[in-house]
Structure formats: C-alpha cells, structure tokens
Amino acid sequence: MAQELNKFSRTLTQEVTNPAAQAMLYGIGLKEEDMSKPQIGIASTGYEGNPCNMHLNGLSVYVKQGVQANDMVGLIFNTIGVSDGMTNGNDGMRYSLPSRDIIADSIETVVAAQWYDGVIAVVGCDKNMPGAIMAMARLDRPAIMVYGGTIRSGHYKGQKLDIVSAFEALGKKFAGNISDEDYKGVIQNSIPGQGACGGMYTANTMASSIEAMGLSLPFSSSYPATHEGKQEECKKIGAAMKKLLEMNLTPAEIITRKSLENALTVVMALGGSTNAALHYLAIAHSAGIPLTLDDIQTISDRTPFIADLKPSGKYYMEDILEIGGVPAVMKYLHGEGLIHGDCMTVTGKTVAENLAEAPDLDFEAQKIIFPLTQPIKASGHIQVLYGNLSPKGAVAKITGKEGLRFEGEAKVCEHESEIIDALAKGEIKAGHVVVIRNAGPKGGPGMSEMLKPTSAVMGAGLGDKIALITDGRFSGGTHGFVVGHITPEAFEGGPIALVKDGDYITIDANTRELTLHISDEEMAARKAAWVQPSPKYTRGMLGKYIRNVKSASEGCVTDEA
C-alpha cells in the first residue's frame, strides 16, 4: 500500500497539480517515456575527506546504472558523513553521533519531499548505516542499503595494521616502547586506501548485522571496498529494487522484532561494537518496535561469542570473505537455532531461503569462527550493567580475555584529554578505575568515543591492569575492561558526576553490577552539593542536539517529544 500511495502521490503532484514539477524533470534530462517510470532516490554519503567514504560517489554511479537498466529512473543525492577515525580524540568527535540523526533526517527529507518510489543508500563510515536505516524505517518505501566495504589491512615490517594500530602506537610512544622511525612507519602505513576500518569495529558491525536484518544483499558486508564483488553488487541493486517495487515489500515487513534479534545475534556472535546497542535502540524506535537494553542483554545471554576478530582477536573483516562471508556465519547460526529463518529480506526471499546456498563453515580449515561447542566466551560480550553508578544502565564490552571483575580506586578525568596527559606523565597506575565523565550525549555534547584513550592505554601496556568507565561511548576498535553509556549521564546529575578520586569502584560482569562504594547518605550529600554545569553550546546544531537528545539507554534519538 505504501508503494502505491507514494507513486500515486508523485504522479498526481507532477502531472496534475504541479506541471512545473514535470517541466523540471524534463529540465534535468528525462524523456516523456521516463515520466511513468518509478523514481529511485540514491543517497550517497560519499565525500573525499575520509577513506570510508571517498569511493561512495563512484559506487553510486554503478547503482544508478543498475537502476536505469531495470527501467527505472535513478536520481543521486548526497548527505553528510563524519569520520570517526579522524575526529577521535578531538572536539570534532562531538559531531559524530549527531551526524547519524542528521543523515536520517536528510534522507527522509529528500525522499519524502521528492516522492521517490524507493531509496537506495550507499554508505560507509559508522553513523552512515544506522542513519540510513532509521530513515528507511520512517519512510517505509522499498529500500536497500549498500555498504561501501571494509578496508584492506595495512602492512609495516611484516605486521598487519589498521586504524587502531595508529592509536596504539601513540601509547607505545608514551611508554617509550617504539622508535620515532617505527612510529612514523605505523602511522603512514595503517590505512592503505578506501574502505571502512578493517576489524569488527562499528562500521563492519553495523554492515554485518544490517545484512542479517535483511536490508542489504547477501555478502554486502563481506566484500572489501576494492573487491570486484562490490561493483557487481552495486550493479545488481537495480534488479533487487525492481523486485521490491513489484512485491510492494517495504521496511515495515523487513524490520521486525525477529529481524532485530537476528541483527543483534550476529553482533554478539562476531564480537561487534557496543555502539550497536545505541543504534539498534534508535532503529527500533524509528520502526515503532519496542526494544530495551534488557532485551539486548537477553540476546547476549543466549549467544556465544565465537569470532576471533579485531580488536580483541587476530583477524580482519577481509578474512571473513575467504571463509564464506557473513552468509556462512549466518547459515551456521541458523542451523544451530540462533537465527530466525522466516524473516523477509530485500532479495524478496526469507533468510532461510537466502542461506540455502550459502557455504558451510569448515572448522578444521579455518580458525576465525569457532564452533558453539568451543566458543571464545559462552555468552555475548556486550553486557548491560546496573548499580548505584548506573541506575538506568551502562554497556560494557567484556570478551572474557580481560577478566569478568575489576575493583580499584577511581581516577577522575573531566575530559578524555586528561587521561592522555596523565598517561604521558605516568599518573595512570595499575589498579585504577579511570572515570571519564561529562562526555554523554548532552554533556559532551555528542557522546564522544574513547578510542584514543583506550588505544593509548593498550599501547602503554596497561590494558589488563586498569579499567575505564564513562558516560561517553567507545569505538568498535576499543578493547580492554571498559564500561560506557552510563546513565544518567554526569550533565544530568547522574551518580558518575559525584565520583571523587580515591573512591572504590567494582565492575562485575558476572552479576552485571557497577558499584560505587560509598554510603547512600554520602551519595545524597554529594548530590545535594552538585550544581549542573552550563551547556557547552546553546546555539547551532550542537545546541539543538543538547535540547533534543534522549539518553544513551534510549538510543540517543532526537525525534521523540
């Protein structure tokens, strides 16, 4: 019904009530025979300033060719992107998470205003993908996501490198464990060209899980950006979109409770980014489907962590393609009863039908994906913690390699730059629980990622000796004993605002508790003395964000009253 309504409304506007619209379509080069064809908006997040996005405008041209070849009109438009890798550790990171909602708003705006019959989003970096899916859910017109692909690994002196290697090199420099020559060599060789960050970081997490959810073609998340399969995928999108139009198959039939569970199951199995928790809460909100942190915990509890992928493991996303890609992983999970096979996908087929011809995992020939009988961790690595430090929830990334419990004295940092300075001065000691606060969605603002601090900690050799907690968030490239998304955030008077140096803190992944060891009376006294800081911005995009954004436990959405 949505497709019929959209097409009817566009035709009515252009041909009856607004002849100028039809005249303008002639003005852009369409012919009379094009006027009755479906118009497909092709949203590209391409721009030259970021390896994740630098090639996307080129891929969009291939998508348009496929659309045109299937007797439809393809119309490319652009939306924004922000490089997480380039903004990490500086104030530009304040714009990263907000960019997700700007992307969603802008795609919704263009497609709805122009009455396009369908939308194809060509996306790369972390926030591009959830932003595009949020828009698709709001619009509910036939829609497909095309992932720009993972980057190939860099190489230096026989070592494979990626973006995290650059940050970890900084920590080694602070610790005096790397020469100036090798430091420069790592920086210059970590990123060899186009594509999104190469481990199971946020971009590859979202691409893999969105494929599992059914909104991209099989193997979309597996092809590296430079693989010939990526161009072929783009050319096939037109035929897939035509089928969706013929079936009138929209995101409302694809994004369901079951398909969200499929997506989150793949996140847990592959050891994906904690950012997935934020993004799937937001996607579910856009689709009108109830989803909470506790629901995410339930999926984590029943899904073993079975992938030896970066950042905590050995392998990269490019290695997944060699063993059968994400479809092979999904086929195994489906066979073990962890994936719902009856969910519809953009192929016009169900998950089970798509997986029928997918390759099988060979556990003897490859050691990237482990069998469920020998998991890296028996349950998922994403753990939702509650306690007097996080009464409305926090999200921890616990792979098991860093242990399941940490106790120590608080070392409070009001900004992530303070931990970098403290590391350089040797002030961060084994046993510290480093607290980085005023980094939440309102207080940051924008809920900055802590990739630079955590990578520097790893490089300094303290990764298994300290813990780090924050009301900000972490990159998918983060590993170590870390807890983020603490709510309420410090800006709103959450308990993290009340922590003092030397306070004793316990993080327990077994009981899923985050505890500040002070009395209720002391907590109340500190709260009574607390004064809310002034917002860092009152105007512009960040000022609007502070006024509108919901908490991390609500997905940081900005379109809810």
Side-chain angles (χ1 to χ4, degrees):
M1 183 60 171
Q3 156 61 14
E4 294 171 357
L5 175 62
N6 296 341
K7 186 173 181 180
F8 171 76
S9 299
R10 174 173 61 78
T11 303
L12 179 66
T13 300
Q14 291 169 358
E15 296 184 6
V16 179
T17 63
N18 189 357
Q22 191 175 32
M24 294 180 81
L25 290 173
Y26 282 118
I28 66 171
L30 298 191
K31 307 299 181 185
E32 184 173 357
E33 59 268 24
D34 296 324
M35 295 301 167
S36 60
K37 295 177 180 178
Q39 291 182 9
I40 307 302
I42 302 169
S44 171
T45 58
Y47 66 101
E48 293 180 339
N50 179 18
C52 308
N53 299 71
M54 62 187 285
H55 60 304
L56 300 184
N57 287 339
L59 292 181
S60 298
V61 173
Y62 290 116
V63 170
K64 180 172 181 174
Q65 290 173 358
V67 168
Q68 308 280 71
N70 283 273
D71 207 31
M72 298 175 289
V73 175
L75 297 165
I76 297 173
F77 66 94
N78 283 84
T79 182
I80 68 162
V82 168
S83 170
D84 284 35
M86 296 172 74
T87 58
N88 253 299
N90 62 64
D91 287 346
M93 174 49 73
R94 290 172 171 163
Y95 291 87
S96 170
L97 184 58
S99 76
R100 180 196 71 182
D101 293 67
I102 294 174
I103 290 165
D105 293 348
S106 60
I107 293 176
E108 176 193 354
T109 298
V110 173
V111 174
Q114 299 299 124
W115 278 108
Y116 291 150
D117 297 293
V119 58
I120 299 165
V122 185
V123 290
C125 197
D126 299 5
K127 308 309 175 292
N128 300 179
M129 284 167 279
I133 302 303
M134 289 162 66
M136 291 173 183
R138 296 175 190 173
L139 290 160
D140 197 30
R141 307 178 192 201
I144 305 174
M145 190 193 85
V146 180
Y147 178 43
T150 186
I151 200 170
R152 301 283 192 180
S153 56
H155 293 85
Y156 179 69
K157 291 189 173 180
Q159 181 183 4
K160 292 178 77 170
L161 304 173
D162 66 359
I163 183 67
V164 176
S165 307
F167 282 114
E168 291 185 353
L170 179 64
K172 292 178 181 178
K173 189 173 183 179
F174 289 153
N177 294 332
I178 191 171
S179 68
D180 290 343
E181 177 187 354
D182 286 344
Y183 176 74
K184 189 173 182 180
V186 170
I187 301 302
Q188 291 179 344
N189 292 282
S190 291
I191 307 295
Q194 63 199 39
C197 298
M200 190 45 62
Y201 310 149
T202 303
N204 285 322
T205 296
M206 295 309 298
S208 301
S209 56
I210 289 166
E211 180 179 326
M213 189 168 63
L215 274 171
S216 59
L217 294 183
F219 290 97
S220 182
S221 63
S222 304
Y223 292 128
T226 55
H227 193 280
E228 61 185 12
K230 185 53 63 179
Q231 288 186 12
E232 291 304 312
E233 174 196 350
C234 290
K235 293 174 183 178
K236 292 177 182 177
I237 293 296
M241 174 55 71
K242 187 172 185 178
K243 186 171 185 179
L244 291 180
L245 290 170
E246 291 169 349
M247 296 177 66
N248 193 26
L249 182 58
T250 70
E253 297 172 76
I254 295 174
I255 305 175
T256 64
R257 175 65 184 220
K258 283 185 175 181
S259 74
L260 287 168
E261 290 180 358
N262 284 352
L264 288 162
T265 296
V266 166
V267 171
M268 303 306 170
L270 295 180
S273 169
T274 52
N275 282 312
L278 279 179
H279 297 327
Y280 278 105
L281 290 171
I283 289 168
H285 167 75
S286 293
I289 300 170
L291 185 74
T292 67
L293 282 176
D294 292 339
D295 295 327
I296 294 173
Q297 181 64 59
T298 297
I299 296 167
S300 184
D301 287 344
R302 71 184 185 219
T303 309
F305 169 35
I306 57 173
D308 192 20
L309 296 168
K310 293 284 185 177
S312 63
K314 301 176 184 176
Y315 296 97
Y316 294 85
M317 190 68 192
E318 64 181 355
D319 300 316
I320 291 286
L321 181 62
E322 297 177 10
I323 64 169
V326 168
V329 179
M330 288 179 61
K331 185 176 184 179
Y332 177 63
L333 294 173
H334 177 248
E336 295 292 329
L338 292 174
I339 291 260
H340 302 289
D342 57 347
C343 297
M344 287 300 297
T345 75
V346 291
T347 66
K349 300 177 181 179
T350 65
V351 167
E353 289 170 332
N354 286 343
L355 296 178
E357 297 183 4
D360 294 310
L361 289 175
D362 185 338
F363 293 112
E364 295 299 321
Q366 60 82 32
K367 299 300 178 185
I368 303 172
I369 306 296
F370 288 68
L372 294 178
T373 54
Q374 297 177 300
I376 296 171
K377 186 172 180 283
S379 60
H381 61 298
I382 292 180
Q383 297 291 304
V384 177
L385 310 183
Y386 292 97
N388 69 345
L389 249 181
S390 56
K392 293 189 178 180
V395 178
K397 189 175 189 177
I398 309 292
T399 66
K401 296 180 179 180
E402 58 285 287
L404 297 173
R405 181 182 172 90
F406 194 99
E407 298 178 295
E409 290 188 356
K411 169 69 175 174
V412 178
C413 299
E414 302 293 345
H415 188 273
E416 66 176 297
S417 61
E418 292 183 21
I419 186 175
I420 301 299
D421 292 341
L423 277 171
K425 295 175 183 176
E427 295 174 355
I428 303 296
K429 306 293 186 183
H432 273 151
V433 177
V434 178
V435 180
I436 302 179
R437 64 188 178 199
N438 297 306
K442 291 180 181 291
M447 204 177 181
S448 293
E449 288 183 348
M450 300 297 156
L451 179 58
K452 186 175 180 179
T454 56
S455 298
V457 163
M458 284 291 175
L462 291 169
D464 59 348
K465 298 178 178 64
I466 71 166
L468 194 155
I469 68 174
T470 180
D471 53 2
R473 60 193 176 90
F474 293 104
S475 164
T478 294
H479 58 126
F481 214 113
V482 297
V483 182
H485 308 200
I486 291 176
T487 51
E489 62 175 293
F491 182 82
E492 297 198 311
I496 190 173
L498 312 177
V499 180
K500 295 182 178 180
D501 281 345
D503 285 346
Y504 204 69
I505 294 173
T506 297
I507 307 163
D508 194 325
N510 289 308
T511 60
R512 300 206 304 273
E513 292 180 298
L514 181 59
T515 305
L516 174 64
H517 292 282
I518 62 174
S519 67
D520 292 343
E521 292 76 15
E522 174 65 14
M523 183 81 83
R526 291 185 188 183
K527 181 63 184 287
W530 176 80
V531 176
Q532 184 176 44
S534 298
K536 293 186 174 73
Y537 296 83
T538 57
R539 302 178 64 185
M541 192 277 287
L542 290 177
K544 288 191 290 185
Y545 193 77
I546 292 170
R547 290 190 293 275
N548 290 301
V549 68
K550 294 295 182 180
S551 75
S553 295
E554 299 168 284
C556 293
V557 297
T558 57
D559 65 336
E560 183 177 311

